[in-house]
């Protein structure tokens, strides 16, 4: 159903060879002859490019040429026998950009994808114009959940995961929960390796953010029970040229559940001339 929605909205599904691996991505251009401002969106743990589905058509309508790849190990991209570390996924994004001839772009990253894109902007600032991160990982914080949260083994655990990701989870019929369980179980080995790589501390950015050279918008769901708002506030404090926008009534899935204010916040930041600097803004619970 999501893929049909994207197809109806004129979003193209394609593959490209990147770093020796086949990567799937969605691409959407503004209508008319304008090429649009390139915007690369990077999804999070256990997700895929189509999780940006609510935002892609809205961003395209605002003049952005959107690319939303499936990271290695996720969606319809290759699933090699690899570590699935943040550094590995960052390298995959660099190779993806090179393969689609994208020398530089505005970049957005959600959750684990925010960690990947923060590292990209630090390691390759020449490839990033402005950066937006949504409920991003990348800093140490005392987690209140077990890594097993992302590898449910029954329907009850699927519902527990959903309740952690959003403060107002929809009632999930049994057949929907079972379908989600099958999908997560099929990719559990990749998620497990990703979690192991993220929790070993090797790619943490706690002592690097003050070296960020690009303007950064930090978007956070005020009720995020997975990665608390305090992490976003620390990022805002540590990144020299950053703006923090807080979405009231939203949890970790703000770009999907609260996409309208998230899109407005994103477009305002990416279109601002001169770039926005400093400050914090709270958006009301509008969905």
């Amino acid at each position: 159903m999501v893929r049909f929605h994207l197809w109806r909205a004129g979003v193209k599904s394609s593959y490209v060879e990147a770093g020796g691996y086949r990567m799937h991505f969605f691409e959407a251009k503004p209508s008319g002859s304008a090429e649009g401002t390139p915007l690369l969106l990077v999804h999070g743990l256990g997700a895929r490019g189509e999780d940006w589905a609510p935002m892609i058509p809205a961003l395209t309508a605002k003049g952005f040429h959107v690319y939303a790849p499936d990271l290695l190990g996720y969606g319809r991209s290759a699933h090699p026998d690899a570590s699935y570390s943040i550094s590995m996924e960052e390298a995959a994004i660099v190779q993806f950009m090179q393969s689609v001839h994208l020398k530089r772009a505005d970049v957005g990253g959600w959750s684990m994808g925010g960690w990947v894109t923060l590292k990209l902007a630090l390691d390759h600032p020449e490839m990033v114009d402005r950066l937006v991160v949504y409920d991003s990982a990348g800093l140490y914080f005392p987690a209140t959940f077990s890594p097993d949260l992302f590898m449910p083994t029954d329907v009850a655990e699927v519902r527990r995961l959903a309740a952690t990701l959003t403060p107002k989870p929809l009632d999930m019929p049994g057949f929907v929960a079972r379908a989600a369980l099958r999908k997560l179980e099929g990719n559990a080995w990749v998620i497990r390796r990703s979690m192991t790589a993220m929790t070993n501390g090797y790619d943490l950015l706690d002592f690097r953010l003050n070296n960020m050279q690009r303007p950064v918008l930090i978007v956070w769901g005020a009720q995020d029970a997975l990665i608390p708002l305090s992490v976003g506030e620390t990022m805002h404090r540590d990144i020299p040229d950053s703006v923090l926008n807080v979405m009231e009534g939203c949890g970790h899935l703000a770009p999907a559940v609260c996409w309208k204010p998230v899109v407005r916040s994103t477009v305002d930041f990416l279109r601002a001339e001169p770039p926005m600097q400093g400050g914090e803004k709270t958006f009301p619970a509008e969905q």
Side-chain angles (χ1 to χ4, degrees), residues 263-283:
V263 166
R264 186 166 69 250
S265 169
T266 300
V267 172
D268 288 348
F269 175 78
L270 294 179
R271 291 298 191 205
E273 290 297 346
M276 294 181 182
Q277 294 184 351
E280 179 177 342
K281 182 177 180 181
T282 298
F283 284 67

Side-chain angles (χ1 to χ4, degrees), residues 12-219:
K12 183 181 177 183
S13 172
S14 302
Y15 291 87
V16 69
E17 195 78 11
Y21 297 112
R22 194 174 190 232
M23 290 186 71
H24 172 262
F25 67 102
F26 291 101
E27 181 180 7
K29 300 179 183 180
S31 58
S33 59
E35 185 66 18
T37 304
L39 172 59
L40 174 69
L41 299 176
V42 182
H43 67 78
L45 180 73
R48 51 194 174 172
E50 65 196 62
D51 286 13
W52 297 101
M55 291 180 59
I56 293 174
L59 290 166
T60 304
K62 294 295 184 180
F64 290 94
H65 182 163
V66 180
Y67 300 82
D70 293 338
L71 289 170
L72 288 180
Y74 295 95
R76 287 178 275 175
S77 287
H79 289 56
D81 183 3
S83 68
Y84 293 102
S85 67
I86 296 299
S87 291
M88 172 188 160
E89 297 291 15
E90 176 202 11
I93 288 298
V94 170
Q95 291 156 352
F96 171 80
M97 292 180 70
Q98 293 169 343
S99 295
V100 297
H101 309 292
L102 199 57
K103 291 184 178 180
R104 59 187 298 124
D106 292 329
V107 179
W110 182 359
S111 193
M112 182 187 77
W115 191 347
V116 172
T117 58
L118 283 164
K119 194 169 185 304
L120 174 72
L122 287 164
D123 294 343
H124 302 280
E126 73 284 355
M127 301 183 77
V128 179
D129 283 325
R130 302 184 193 189
L131 175 62
V132 185
V133 293
Y134 308 89
D135 296 85
S136 179
L139 300 184
Y140 171 78
F141 67 97
T144 58
F145 57 89
S146 163
D148 290 341
L149 176 70
F150 297 96
M151 293 165 277
T153 58
D154 57 35
V155 167
E157 291 180 358
V158 170
R159 291 185 170 128
R160 181 166 64 92
L161 173 59
T164 304
L165 294 176
T166 180
K168 297 178 181 179
L170 297 174
D171 183 34
M172 187 181 295
F175 75 93
V176 174
R178 287 189 293 273
L181 178 62
R182 286 193 298 271
K183 187 177 296 184
L184 289 166
E185 284 181 329
N187 215 38
W189 69 276
V190 172
I191 295 172
R192 185 175 292 107
R193 290 189 187 185
S194 295
M195 286 296 298
T196 298
M198 286 191 289
T199 55
N200 67 19
Y202 182 76
D203 285 322
L204 285 173
L205 303 176
D206 294 69
F207 303 106
R208 296 191 63 194
L209 292 184
N210 63 317
N211 294 319
M212 182 67 69
Q213 300 176 29
R214 293 292 176 258
V216 180
L217 171 64
I218 302 162
V219 179

